[in-house]
Amino acid sequence: MIINGVTIDQTFAEAFPMKATRAIITAQNEKWAMISAQAMTGFATSVIACGCEAGIERVLSPEETPDGRPGVAIMIYAMGGKGLAKQLETRAGQCVLTSPTSALFAGIEGGKPIPLGKNLRYFGDGFQVAKKIGGKRYWRVPVMDGEFLTEATTGMVDAVGGGNFLVLAESQPQALAACEAAIEEMRKIPNVIMPFPGGVVRSGSKVGSKYPALGASTNDAFCPTLKGMTKTDLSPEIESVMEIVIDGLSKEDIDKAMRVGIQAVCDLGAANGIKRISAGNYGGKLGPFHFHLQEIMA
Amino acid sequence: MSALTFTLKQPTAQRVDMSPLVCQKLQGLDVDAIAAIELQNGKRKLRVDELFYITGKNTQEIIIANATAKLDFIGKEMDGGSISVQGDAGAYLGMQMKSGCICVTGDAGLYAACEMKNGLLQIDGNAGDFLGGALPGNKQGMKGGIVLVKGNVGQRAGDHMRRGQILIEGNAGDYCGSRMVAGTIAVMGNTGRYLGYAMRRGTLLLWNPPQLSATFNDCGSHTLAFLPLLFASFKSLNSRFADSSAAFNRVQRYGGDMAETGRGEVLVKI
């Protein structure tokens, strides 16, 4: 399949089941909600070393938030419920509780409830106050700028992690420009995050390493500088490869995000140095979710 | 199916225990069986049809018409459905209610909503003493749900209250929120003496400045984030509390009762 001069490989991205949750951070204005959200989702690119994958889903208008203030929806994905709960609580405690004017609310109704502010309340040292409003339990924790208001729990649901596609270009600036265009479109899709910095990964990995201690290492088949030294998957004109990784609440959500992302890349086309779209798969052994590129773009 | 309606034939001299006439106990019974239920009336027992005309069939929607203040224990331990009281209700209205909705067009007597667990209890008139309180000797009063009183309430509203919300459009008597353990009491009118006497935790939300005991300390004026959420949750009520002009988030906060645990608060609109 070729779209606007860009070859779409006959391959699939391989993804695996994860657990996910969403939280809503509000603040006095969007600036401070975003600062808190960025802190909370920082260092959360890959479960390989971060314990979770997290990202900002979207900015919320005051009409969309529980307390009528500007807000940001963030999502966190992890391999299991325990790990997810731990990451959520740690990050909420360090990055939202501490952030000026912030409040924290559940972003997913239903699913299994996991603690959001349920244990953060102990920061109140006995001065915390519980309020059950409209069937939901909130905690008011006295802090130096006033009160930190947080919902006790949020919902945890089954999700899909590791959806991806690779952008193969003639130069590094062209690969990055294409990925930026893709991310801009993909951010409009609900229920997905692209957890890597700016949504783009330059260090795509393969499973395993020559060093026994490492579970993952550089994807040498897609490293342009190794073309002559390893079993490469790159043609001579490819000088740079970048990956976009997508976590979503369902396979369909990732499908949609991949479609608009790949389309945005293809819109730039061969004229802008974009040669191929491929995907990371590990022979179908990594996970049960397969995203076939040509089917998605059909 | 029309609502099951009990119309009181004539005012009764003795008090009536209405506790058998709740939705979950009448479910599946036909009119004859309901008519044969015996109600305690003073020292006698009377069949339901000796006291009431019975019409309608829907046991999950009960109407008590011509009601008087002699009808006690209406909606006792009610668990689902609705009871509409046209007139006054006696003592122990909605006592230990678990879910459902009770509406009273007139006044309610002592101990309305005492030890209530959940559901909605609306009183269009006034309520007596110990609204949402604990029965004598018990340590926990209302544990959940919403009580809405459009008129005034007597003394000791929310005594030993544990959770839930009591919303009072009128005035509250003395000792409002006494010995409160937690929960929220909102009073749009005036409050009497000894407000929050021995309260341990919980919130008293007031529209008018109270006469506070020396054991309540001023914590200053604040904008509290939970108040907009609280007022938003009142939107579905048929009440002045649902009116957006009633909402506020700026309050003077008093902490107390310092003679007790002292984690309670009195929030006064400013």
Side-chain angles (χ1 to χ4, degrees):
Chain A
M1 178 187 271
I2 296 173
I3 302 173
N4 199 19
V6 180
T7 302
I8 310 294
D9 282 5
Q10 189 168 10
T11 185
F12 59 87
E14 197 177 346
F16 43 85
M18 295 185 93
K19 297 284 183 188
T21 189
R22 182 192 281 120
I24 294 170
I25 300 167
T26 67
Q28 180 179 281
N29 52 39
E30 189 186 313
K31 173 188 161 185
W32 280 101
M34 185 57 82
I35 286 171
S36 180
Q38 282 170 338
M40 190 176 182
T41 56
F43 184 58
T45 56
S46 167
V47 285
I48 294 172
C50 305
C52 72
E53 297 181 3
I56 289 166
E57 187 186 15
R58 68 187 183 96
V59 173
L60 302 171
S61 67
E63 293 75 36
E64 295 174 290
T65 61
D67 64 354
R69 299 192 301 169
V72 175
I74 64 109
M75 294 177 82
I76 303 185
Y77 291 71
M79 298 307 285
K82 238 181 200 174
L84 182 69
K86 184 174 166 47
Q87 286 290 334
L88 176 66
E89 212 161 58
T90 307
R91 287 163 182 274
Q94 295 300 306
C95 308
V96 189
L97 169 66
T98 56
S99 180
T101 77
S102 69
L104 184 61
F105 302 98
I108 287 186
E109 302 288 337
K112 186 186 171 195
I114 54 171
L116 189 62
K118 190 179 172 182
N119 298 317
L120 294 184
R121 73 177 194 258
Y122 294 114
F123 184 77
D125 200 24
F127 294 101
Q128 67 272 21
V129 177
K131 281 283 165 240
K132 201 166 186 182
I133 301 172
K136 294 177 179 174
R137 193 172 174 80
Y138 297 88
W139 282 101
R140 298 164 51 201
V141 182
V143 285
M144 294 197 308
D145 80 341
E147 267 186 356
F148 171 54
L149 179 67
T150 174
E151 207 166 327
T153 61
T154 185
M156 177 176 70
V157 293
D158 292 329
V160 182
N164 67 79
F165 63 90
L166 305 176
V167 177
L168 286 68
E170 286 177 346
S171 72
Q172 204 177 62
Q174 286 169 322
L176 185 59
C179 288
E180 284 175 347
I183 288 295
E184 195 179 330
E185 291 305 310
M186 294 167 78
R187 287 216 168 111
K188 296 173 186 169
I189 304 297
N191 302 335
V192 296
I193 55 162
M194 283 65 72
F196 282 87
V200 187
V201 198
R202 61 97 166 264
S203 60
S205 58
K206 66 175 183 289
V207 176
S209 162
K210 71 176 277 190
Y211 304 106
L214 293 184
S217 61
T218 194
N219 194 348
D220 55 296
F222 284 93
C223 287
T225 55
L226 301 180
K227 269 183 235 169
M229 302 164 72
T230 189
K231 188 170 181 273
T232 188
D233 203 4
L234 303 177
S235 50
E237 76 277 18
I238 305 296
E239 205 175 288
S240 184
V241 180
M242 292 183 193
E243 182 179 1
I244 291 177
V245 173
I246 310 118
D247 296 336
L249 291 186
S250 71
K251 185 176 184 303
E252 291 69 35
D253 293 321
I254 294 180
D255 272 339
K256 280 183 212 162
M258 285 179 70
R259 189 179 307 124
V260 300
I262 294 171
Q263 188 59 54
V265 173
C266 291
D267 286 346
L268 291 173
N272 288 298
I274 313 300
K275 306 305 286 185
R276 270 172 66 200
I277 299 290
S278 191
N281 76 60
Y282 307 91
K285 290 176 188 165
L286 184 67
F289 299 102
H290 296 163
F291 297 90
H292 293 268
L293 298 183
Q294 293 191 357
E295 279 177 26
I296 286 172
M297 298 311 293
Chain B
M1 209 159 31
S2 56
L4 178 63
T5 305
F6 300 100
T7 306
L8 190 65
K9 290 180 175 174
Q10 60 206 24
T12 152
Q14 301 297 325
R15 306 196 76 84
V16 181
D17 178 355
M18 296 285 285
S19 59
L21 303 184
V22 288
C23 302
Q24 79 271 16
K25 286 185 179 172
L26 301 184
Q27 194 162 26
L29 299 182
D30 59 22
V31 173
D32 289 342
I34 294 169
I37 293 171
E38 290 190 322
L39 301 177
Q40 192 72 39
N41 178 220
K43 65 180 180 181
R44 294 185 303 160
K45 283 195 167 175
L46 293 178
R47 282 168 57 99
V48 169
D49 57 2
E50 287 180 81
L51 282 166
F52 296 97
Y53 299 110
I54 306 172
T55 56
K57 286 183 175 173
N58 186 359
T59 56
Q60 299 311 295
E61 189 186 348
I62 294 174
I63 296 173
I64 301 171
N66 285 346
T68 72
K70 291 285 172 71
L71 304 183
D72 295 339
F73 296 106
I74 293 174
K76 184 186 172 193
E77 295 177 6
M78 181 171 163
D79 196 1
S82 72
I83 296 179
S84 174
V85 181
Q86 296 173 351
D88 294 340
Y92 304 102
L93 169 73
M95 172 178 156
Q96 295 167 347
M97 175 179 175
K98 292 171 187 160
S99 67
C101 176
I102 300 176
C103 290
V104 180
T105 60
D107 299 338
L110 298 167
Y111 285 102
C114 70
E115 300 183 7
M116 176 176 169
K117 291 170 180 152
N118 216 332
L120 172 66
L121 174 55
Q122 180 175 325
I123 300 164
D124 289 350
N126 302 322
D129 296 344
F130 288 96
L131 174 75
L135 290 170
N138 286 357
K139 282 284 188 185
Q140 292 197 343
M142 184 174 163
K143 296 182 187 70
I146 298 177
V147 177
L148 169 63
V149 182
K150 296 196 174 186
N152 303 323
V153 306
Q155 297 185 15
R156 298 267 182 186
D159 184 55
H160 276 312
M161 181 177 176
R162 175 73 180 80
R163 198 179 290 134
Q165 292 159 355
I166 297 179
L167 311 177
I168 302 162
E169 290 188 15
N171 303 325
D174 296 344
Y175 291 96
C176 177
S178 60
R179 305 183 289 185
M180 204 171 162
V181 182
T184 303
I185 302 176
V187 186
M188 279 185 165
N190 295 310
T191 47
R193 296 171 302 164
Y194 308 114
L195 180 79
Y197 173 84
M199 74 186 287
R200 297 172 63 193
R201 294 191 302 273
T203 302
L204 292 167
L205 185 61
L206 308 181
W207 272 250
N208 294 302
Q211 183 186 337
L212 277 174
S213 308
T215 50
F216 279 81
N217 292 345
D218 190 352
C219 298
S221 51
H222 301 283
T223 302
L224 298 181
F226 86 100
L227 287 171
L229 294 179
L230 187 71
F231 284 112
S233 74
F234 299 153
K235 287 285 176 203
S236 60
L237 297 174
N238 170 23
S239 165
R240 283 166 58 201
F241 283 94
D243 193 346
S244 55
S245 63
F248 55 87
N249 62 358
R250 184 100 184 123
V251 290
Q252 191 76 21
R253 185 174 196 261
Y254 300 90
D257 183 337
M258 292 300 172
E260 247 294 348
T261 315
R263 299 285 191 256
E265 61 182 0
V266 177
L267 305 177
V268 185
K269 178 186 177 185
I270 50 175

